[in-house]
Amino acid sequence: MADDSIAVVDLERCQPDRCNYECKNFCPPNRTGKECITVRGEDTMEGKPDQVRISEEICLGETCGICVEKCPFDAIEIINLPQELDDEPAHRYGENAFSLYGLPAPDEGRVTGILGPNGIGKTTAVRILAGELTPNLGNYGTEPEWSDVLDRYRGTELQAFLRELRDGDVSVARKPQYVDQIPNQFDGTTRELLDSTDERGDLDAIVDRLSIRPVMDQHIGDLSGGELQRVALAATLARDADFYFLDEITPYLDIGQRVTAARLIRDLAADGDRSMLVVEHDLAILDLLADNLHVAYGEPGAYGVVTDPKSVRNGINEYLKGYLDNENMRIRPNAIEFEEHAPRTVAKGDVLVEYPDLEMSYGEGEFSLSVDGGTVHENEVLGIVGPNGIGKSTFAKLLNGALEPDEGELDFQLDISYKPQYIEIDKPMRVDVFLQSITDQFGSSYWNTEIAQPLQLERIMEQNLEDLSGGERQRVAIAACLSEEADLYLLDEPSAHLDVEQRVQATSAIRRYAESQDATVMVIDHDIYMIDLLADRLMVFDGEPAEHGHAGRPQAMRSGMNEFLANLDVTFRRDERTKRPRVNKPGSQLDKQQKNDGEYYYSA
């Protein structure tokens, strides 16, 4: 194989007991007597006996690709690496396994961002910088030596950090990506968890800024996703560390909480010589948060590349454009485009649901919700926005019949297909079997083109549900919701754990489904741009989180977005080059002007 090519075998997908070794039998070098594709034996270090291995020295490379085509489980990739890459990776997990090229460089007193797709090696890079994994420089067959690592990075920005890491002089605090797993790892109250992390004496101030004092004495298992996210962030930032790694700070947080979290992280970075490394998919928050940015690209599950640091604006814009200027590298065939459009003119269809004023209370002194009566029309997408803990999910349960209002009567019955905010896997089956049981209403051609392909389901169809990552579970859950026959499709935070490209594709899939199937869709989400692209009208919730909420009538997008952002005291502008939304700095001239004009998001 050419020096710039690698062979990757996905050992989770390679199933020799269900195939006839088509890859091995049709391989041209094998058919001439060479041992290019062979079967692993009992003494293999990676994988299981009977799975295949590919000799990268003998393989003909991507120009052949016969084994890729013949494998019935899509377990093989032959990839030509970009010529601009260094010869050796920073780390490779094993023979025919994932390779990572390049590492991000922590910067004292600053926030460094990483932007890239899921499955591209960001977590591997962080494990290396956290001292959990010694980089093997591609020599996966031998124990890595720190002396080789330091020689490799001599003269770079990483040299001093890696030397301190080797000597044990770097302390690390990490916020996990999937905060909904915290109750499985800690049994106690919020206060007990946070008190154990208060190493700098600043916990009280952090608790107040993140507004989590009301849940301090609640059991961790009783917290919502947004509360868990803020508790996890507080637990991380309360530690006294040299290097903080924060993996996705925005899932389950509303836009106000996202902005607050971003400002808290920036303040802590500026207060001393601490290094912050943040992986984030919300571009507006990453823009507000980071001082510099590494772009990560490659083939998910096969190889990843981390670029040298860039300015935040240029890094985000180059990533969206799909072309990295300094690296002279095209990382995506097409640009991710953000539309600058006036809110849609809504052609009102027949009324699907007309509901009266509603009142709902969970008990004396507990949360209460009041809903102004309104209508939901057939064939519309209704966006639902508001802070966490304000009653959006309660309203959905009222519509669904899961809750009864204290005042007002709902005398209709709807078949609702519901994607919950928190996705729990309770079915031990493969993805394709699970989805097949609910997709009979569609022809396979439509389903593959309009749902499976945009949601990137092809490569996970034969995986078990319980083995999926958070982003993979999200995409399967969206597909399952859209595949049901229903009067109303209700999706609660479909953007959570999706990377930038996946969010754009999921948004497009949901919108196209609504239009092609004449479906009525309600979407609850905190990603402002996703809501803007999806929704015909907007329903705004306000009030006091965890105490009382108020739901206004559905209204036009422009007035609804302005009302929502005015409640949060946040304004957005659009980037001149890409038209992507960007958060204005509080008190800036543009922030003041937009507030004076009453235009918090749309151009006048």
Side-chain angles (χ1 to χ4, degrees), residues 536-585:
D536 298 305
R537 293 192 300 159
L538 205 60
M539 189 172 181
V540 180
F541 282 66
D542 58 16
E544 188 66 32
E547 294 184 14
H548 60 85
H550 169 258
R553 291 179 175 85
Q555 58 183 300
M557 285 294 297
R558 189 181 207 120
S559 61
M561 198 70 84
N562 282 329
E563 177 186 337
F564 172 55
L565 293 178
N567 291 340
L568 298 172
D569 198 34
V570 174
T571 61
F572 280 80
R573 70 189 186 281
R574 291 192 185 274
D575 184 83
E576 295 177 358
R577 289 172 56 189
T578 65
K579 307 305 179 186
R580 63 182 171 87
R582 305 180 68 187
V583 179
N584 290 322
K585 291 183 178 180

Side-chain angles (χ1 to χ4, degrees), residues 517-528:
Q517 300 297 308
D518 292 332
T520 304
V521 182
M522 297 174 68
V523 178
I524 302 170
D525 210 283
H526 298 302
D527 187 302
I528 293 295

Side-chain angles (χ1 to χ4, degrees), residues 164-299:
E164 293 178 352
L165 188 65
R166 178 200 62 181
D167 296 339
D169 294 335
V170 176
S171 56
V172 179
R174 292 185 60 179
K175 188 203 80 66
Q177 180 181 16
Y178 301 119
V179 297
D180 52 341
Q181 299 300 313
I182 292 176
N184 297 330
Q185 302 164 1
F186 180 83
D187 184 17
T189 66
T190 301
R191 187 181 304 277
E192 290 169 340
L193 173 62
L194 293 182
D195 283 348
S196 68
T197 67
D198 187 15
E199 298 173 353
R200 298 187 297 107
D202 287 344
L203 179 62
D204 281 345
I206 294 173
V207 165
D208 287 335
R209 287 191 65 174
L210 293 176
S211 302
I212 54 180
R213 194 165 296 282
V215 302
M216 287 293 283
D217 293 314
Q218 290 187 26
H219 192 276
I220 285 291
D222 296 331
L223 301 188
S224 68
E227 291 163 346
L228 281 172
Q229 186 70 265
R230 285 175 285 153
V231 167
L233 185 58
T236 306
L237 299 183
R239 293 194 179 278
D240 188 10
D242 304 304
F243 173 51
Y244 294 79
F245 169 62
L246 306 166
D247 198 345
E248 293 193 35
I249 65 169
T250 61
Y252 310 127
L253 297 188
D254 61 51
I255 183 62
Q257 293 166 342
R258 294 179 183 198
V259 171
T260 296
R263 291 171 180 163
L264 176 59
I265 293 166
R266 286 198 59 82
D267 290 348
L268 182 57
D271 183 21
D273 55 1
R274 302 177 181 88
S275 301
M276 300 281 186
L277 188 63
V278 182
V279 173
E280 184 50 58
H281 299 304
D282 185 320
L283 297 182
I285 296 302
L286 187 61
D287 195 9
L288 180 67
L289 177 68
D291 295 298
N292 53 49
L293 182 70
H294 294 270
V295 174
Y297 66 94
E299 290 285 341

Side-chain angles (χ1 to χ4, degrees), residues 56-67:
E56 293 179 345
E57 290 74 22
I58 301 175
C59 179
L60 299 178
E62 197 173 31
T63 55
C64 171
I66 290 178
C67 58

Side-chain angles (χ1 to χ4, degrees), residues 21 120 145 149 208 233 247 280 313 322 339 378 429 461 480 488 569-570 583 600:
Y21 289 113
I120 212 73
E145 295 287 344
V149 175
D208 287 335
L233 185 58
D247 198 345
E280 184 50 58
R313 185 185 180 196
E339 300 176 14
E378 292 181 355
M429 64 174 64
M461 290 295 279
L488 175 66
D569 198 34
V570 174
V583 179
Y600 285 73

Side-chain angles (χ1 to χ4, degrees), residues 11-23 25 48-52 70-75 429-433 460-464:
L11 298 179
E12 295 294 326
R13 302 176 64 84
C14 181
Q15 302 180 50
D17 57 330
R18 298 177 57 207
C19 76
N20 295 312
Y21 289 113
E22 287 88 348
C23 59
N25 294 331
K48 302 174 183 178
D50 300 329
Q51 290 182 313
V52 300
K70 292 296 182 180
C71 176
F73 306 112
D74 294 328
M429 64 174 64
R430 293 189 342 180
V431 173
D432 54 356
V433 176
I460 63 173
M461 290 295 279
E462 295 191 357
Q463 293 187 33
N464 292 323

Side-chain angles (χ1 to χ4, degrees), residues 306-565:
V306 178
T307 69
D308 290 336
K310 302 173 180 287
S311 72
V312 177
R313 185 185 180 196
N314 286 343
I316 292 177
N317 287 351
E318 288 179 17
Y319 179 79
L320 294 174
K321 184 171 61 175
Y323 180 79
L324 306 179
D325 293 337
N326 291 343
E327 292 78 7
N328 189 28
M329 174 68 62
R330 178 154 296 282
I331 62 173
R332 192 187 316 105
N334 301 307
I336 295 175
E337 296 181 348
F338 288 80
E339 300 176 14
E340 182 178 17
H341 62 81
R344 297 183 182 89
T345 300
V346 181
K348 293 184 179 179
D350 294 336
V351 173
L352 174 69
V353 176
E354 185 169 1
Y355 54 90
D357 292 350
L358 302 172
E359 297 287 341
M360 173 71 193
S361 175
Y362 283 98
E364 187 175 351
E366 297 187 35
F367 179 78
S368 62
L369 172 67
S370 63
V371 179
D372 293 342
T375 58
V376 179
H377 298 120
E378 292 181 355
N379 313 332
E380 78 167 333
V381 180
L382 179 63
I384 300 179
V385 295
N388 282 325
I390 209 71
K392 301 186 298 295
S393 295
T394 296
F395 176 68
K397 292 175 182 177
L398 288 171
L399 290 183
N400 198 22
L403 292 175
E404 291 290 335
D406 300 326
E407 295 182 22
E409 184 177 355
L410 297 173
D411 57 357
F412 53 80
Q413 292 291 327
L414 292 178
D415 287 330
I416 295 181
S417 180
Y418 177 52
K419 188 208 80 68
Q421 182 181 21
Y422 312 117
I423 301 165
E424 297 182 0
I425 301 297
D426 57 1
K427 296 182 178 181
M429 64 174 64
R430 293 189 342 180
V431 173
D432 54 356
V433 176
F434 169 65
L435 290 175
Q436 183 63 43
S437 66
I438 54 177
T439 59
D440 292 339
Q441 65 165 319
F442 299 108
S444 60
S445 176
Y446 174 88
W447 193 85
N448 288 331
T449 301
E450 298 298 325
I451 296 179
Q453 289 180 11
L455 293 175
Q456 301 177 357
L457 299 181
E458 297 93 334
R459 289 193 58 81
I460 63 173
M461 290 295 279
E462 295 191 357
Q463 293 187 33
N464 292 323
L465 289 169
E466 58 265 33
D467 296 332
L468 300 180
S469 69
E472 291 167 343
R473 291 184 182 191
Q474 187 71 264
R475 292 178 350 244
V476 170
I478 294 171
C481 177
L482 297 181
S483 299
E484 296 273 7
E485 285 195 69
D487 302 311
L488 175 66
Y489 296 84
L490 176 55
L491 297 101
D492 197 344
E493 201 157 348
S495 71
H497 300 306
L498 299 186
D499 63 40
V500 175
E501 292 166 88
Q502 291 166 347
R503 290 183 188 196
V504 171
Q505 290 167 330
T507 300
S508 178
I510 296 168
R511 183 71 207 183
R512 282 203 308 268
Y513 178 86
E515 293 174 348
S516 66
Q517 300 297 308
D518 292 332
T520 304
V521 182
M522 297 174 68
V523 178
I524 302 170
D525 210 283
H526 298 302
D527 187 302
I528 293 295
Y529 189 72
M530 187 178 206
I531 286 290
D532 182 35
L533 284 186
L534 274 174
D536 298 305
R537 293 192 300 159
L538 205 60
M539 189 172 181
V540 180
F541 282 66
D542 58 16
E544 188 66 32
E547 294 184 14
H548 60 85
H550 169 258
R553 291 179 175 85
Q555 58 183 300
M557 285 294 297
R558 189 181 207 120
S559 61
M561 198 70 84
N562 282 329
E563 177 186 337
F564 172 55
L565 293 178

